């Protein structure tokens, strides 16, 4: 895993991968409401990017002879729920009211180890864990697979903004806006939304992800190239494979940082000149299983050779039934451009 330190430099650290969020429950009981629980909860505030504050209910201290300590509550325990009610967004007075108004209180706690999760992978049957994502303040990578969000959406409105990588695959998403709060994730570098049902990419949401360098939208239902991605100035890799894109827009030329462009298994019939001539950082282009005509492939071949032969690239124009290496001198063999045309 990679993160950034306070100076903005990338640093490496060991990933702490988990497949679930471990919680436990403790039920506290007292004989009457005059009996003190013997627990003090700290008023820890987590600042969110958009100015909101998130209250983290953490046990600060326990009376030695109090009920709470006798029944297993410990200092620094973090409370997720009280009597089945999420404490997300609660202030200290809300928690106090819930404790003081009941003779029996059941608290749900997150394990101390899981508070420091940096890498979480959730699949089917772990949907309930989504309710606790807000408590993971050190999360860097979140992967979610095979959970249906077509009706409810995915709520990330209170997740930590330190998240660098978000993967949501095979989750029946029809639009990016079904991921609530995704525009807050200002540290996001990599976004993978493959194997969904996306039909378009919301412009307002996408433009908030200014730091994104890798965007993968393959295996969706996009019928046109999402023009908004051409305004993502830091984008280095874009994958739109297995969609229904037929035309590349002129705006693609604005993608000055793009290094890899994957357009395999679409319905493209031609490759505009600007793709090969006006993208200065492009190092890889794949177009396997499109509908490129022989003339389109042959015309691109010369441009590709002139534009890329001096770079260390493997550039592929892929179509069925033909493999041909361009005429390159021996000294250029390390810069081979592999072209597969359609006959």
């Amino acid at each position: 895993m990679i993160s950034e330190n306070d100076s903005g430099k990338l640093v490496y650290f060991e990933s702490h991968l988990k497949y679930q969020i471990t919680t436990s429950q403790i039920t506290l009981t007292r004989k009457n409401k005059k009996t003190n629980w013997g627990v003090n909860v700290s008023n820890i505030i987590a600042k969110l990017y958009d100015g909101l504050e998130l209250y983290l209910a953490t046990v600060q201290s326990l009376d030695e002879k109090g009920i709470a300590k006798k029944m297993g509550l410990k200092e620094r325990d973090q409370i997720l729920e009280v009597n089945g009610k999420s404490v997300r967004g609660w202030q200290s007075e809300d928690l106090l009211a819930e404790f003081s108004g009941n003779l029996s209180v059941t608290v749900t706690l997150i394990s101390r180890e899981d508070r420091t999760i940096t890498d979480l992978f959730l699949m089917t049957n772990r949907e309930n864990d989504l309710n606790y994502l807000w408590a993971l303040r050190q999360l860097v990578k979140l992967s979610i697979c095979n959970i249906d969000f077509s009706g409810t959406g995915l709520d990330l409105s209170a997740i930590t903004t330190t998240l660098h990588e978000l993967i949501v695959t095979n989750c029946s998403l029809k639009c990016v806006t079904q991921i609530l709060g995704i525009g807050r994730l200002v540290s996001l570098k990599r976004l993978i939304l493959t194997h969904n049902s996306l039909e378009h990419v919301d412009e307002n949401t996408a433009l908030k992800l200014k730091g994104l360098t890798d965007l993968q939208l393959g295996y969706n239902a996009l019928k046109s190239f999402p023009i908004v991605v051409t305004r993502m100035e830091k984008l280095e890799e874009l994958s739109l494979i297995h969609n229904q894109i037929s035309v590349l827009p002129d705006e693609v030329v604005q993608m000055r940082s793009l290094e890899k462009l994957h357009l395999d298994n679409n319905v493209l019939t031609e490759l505009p000149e600007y793709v090969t001539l006006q993208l200065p950082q492009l190092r890889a282009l794949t177009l396997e299983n499109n509908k490129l005509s022989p003339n389109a492939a042959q015309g691109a071949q010369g441009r590709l050779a002139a534009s890329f032969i001096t770079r260390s690239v493997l550039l592929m124009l892929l179509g069925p039934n033909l493999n041909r290496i361009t005429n390159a001198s021996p000294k250029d063999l390390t810069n081979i451009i592999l072209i597969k045309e359609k006959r």
Side-chain angles (χ1 to χ4, degrees):
M1 294 294 295
I2 302 175
S3 184
E4 288 183 321
N5 58 21
D6 294 338
S7 63
K9 295 183 179 180
L10 293 179
V11 294
Y12 292 85
F13 60 93
E14 184 177 355
S15 176
H16 181 188
L17 175 61
K18 294 276 291 187
Y19 294 93
Q20 66 182 49
I21 298 175
T22 305
T23 62
S24 61
Q25 287 188 336
I26 295 177
T27 299
L28 312 176
T29 57
R30 58 181 178 175
K31 294 181 179 180
N32 58 67
K33 293 184 179 181
K34 293 183 179 180
T35 304
N36 194 311
W37 290 110
V39 57
N40 296 305
V41 179
S42 62
N43 191 20
I44 297 177
I45 298 295
K47 297 287 185 179
L48 301 183
Y49 165 72
D50 44 15
L52 299 177
E53 295 181 340
L54 182 66
Y55 174 57
L56 301 178
T58 304
V59 176
Q60 185 176 24
S61 62
L62 295 164
D63 294 348
E64 287 296 325
K65 298 181 180 181
I67 296 174
K69 186 167 185 176
K70 290 180 180 179
M71 293 188 172
L73 207 61
K74 300 177 182 178
E75 291 184 1
R76 297 181 60 209
D77 276 347
Q78 184 174 328
I79 301 173
L80 299 175
E81 296 176 345
V82 178
N83 291 335
K85 304 173 186 177
S86 173
V87 302
R88 169 183 158 181
W90 283 21
Q91 299 295 319
S92 54
E93 53 267 25
D94 300 320
L95 197 63
L96 179 61
E98 189 68 30
F99 269 81
S100 61
N102 292 282
L103 294 177
S104 178
V105 176
T106 298
V107 294
T108 301
L109 308 171
I110 184 173
S111 72
R112 298 189 184 189
E113 178 187 15
D114 281 13
R115 280 190 241 170
T116 60
I117 290 176
T118 59
D119 190 347
L120 179 65
F121 192 118
L122 297 179
M123 295 185 68
T124 308
N125 300 324
R126 300 306 309 179
E127 290 90 342
N128 193 56
D129 288 0
L130 297 170
N131 298 323
Y132 306 136
L133 291 177
W134 58 272
L136 309 180
R137 307 317 297 174
Q138 298 184 38
L139 195 62
V140 176
K141 179 180 178 181
L142 173 63
S143 305
I144 302 174
C145 182
N146 298 333
I147 297 178
D148 188 351
F149 295 119
S150 58
T152 60
L154 170 60
D155 186 2
L156 300 182
S157 57
I159 200 171
T160 175
T161 53
T162 61
L163 198 68
H164 279 203
E165 184 171 350
L166 175 63
I167 302 172
V168 185
T169 64
N170 199 30
C171 292
S172 302
L173 292 173
K174 291 185 177 181
C175 59
V176 179
T177 53
Q178 284 184 285
I179 305 178
L180 307 179
I182 189 172
R184 304 174 43 258
L185 304 180
V186 293
S187 298
L188 204 62
K189 305 294 184 184
R190 192 179 194 214
L191 177 61
I192 300 177
L193 301 178
T194 57
H195 295 88
N196 284 290
S197 302
L198 297 177
E199 298 177 351
H200 70 280
V201 179
D202 179 69
E203 181 174 346
N204 291 333
T205 300
L207 291 180
K208 291 178 181 178
L209 305 176
K210 297 179 181 180
L212 209 62
T213 60
D214 184 353
L215 177 61
Q216 300 188 30
L217 302 174
Y219 294 89
N220 277 289
L222 298 173
K223 294 183 178 180
S224 61
F225 189 99
I227 295 180
V228 66
V229 304
T230 65
R231 298 167 62 187
M232 294 180 171
E233 297 180 353
K234 296 184 178 181
L235 199 62
E236 298 174 358
E237 182 168 358
L238 174 63
S239 176
L240 297 169
I241 64 174
H242 287 270
N243 279 285
Q244 303 169 40
I245 299 170
S246 59
V247 177
L248 296 183
D250 293 342
E251 288 84 350
V252 170
V253 73
Q254 301 174 15
M255 307 181 74
R256 313 302 289 178
S257 298
L258 194 65
E259 297 179 3
K260 299 178 182 179
L261 178 59
H262 305 290
L263 296 166
D264 311 83
N265 294 282
N266 279 280
V267 290
L268 294 167
T269 57
E270 61 180 357
L271 183 69
E273 291 188 12
Y274 52 75
V275 175
T276 56
L277 299 178
Q278 299 185 40
L279 295 178
Q281 302 301 322
L282 194 64
R283 295 292 183 272
L285 171 64
T286 61
L287 290 155
E288 184 175 5
N289 294 328
N290 274 274
K291 295 185 177 181
L292 291 171
S293 66
N295 289 338
Q298 289 171 3
Q301 178 179 354
R303 297 195 302 272
L304 294 173
S307 177
F308 291 93
I309 203 66
T310 58
R311 303 182 190 175
S312 297
V313 298
L314 175 63
L315 186 66
M316 298 193 294
L317 262 178
L318 301 175
N321 306 322
L322 179 66
N323 296 319
R324 182 153 58 91
I325 297 178
T326 57
N327 296 323
S329 62
K331 67 178 181 179
D332 290 323
L333 289 180
T334 57
N335 301 317
I336 287 176
I337 299 172
L338 176 62
I339 297 188
K340 297 183 180 178
E341 300 175 3
K342 178 180 179 181
R343 276 180 174 167

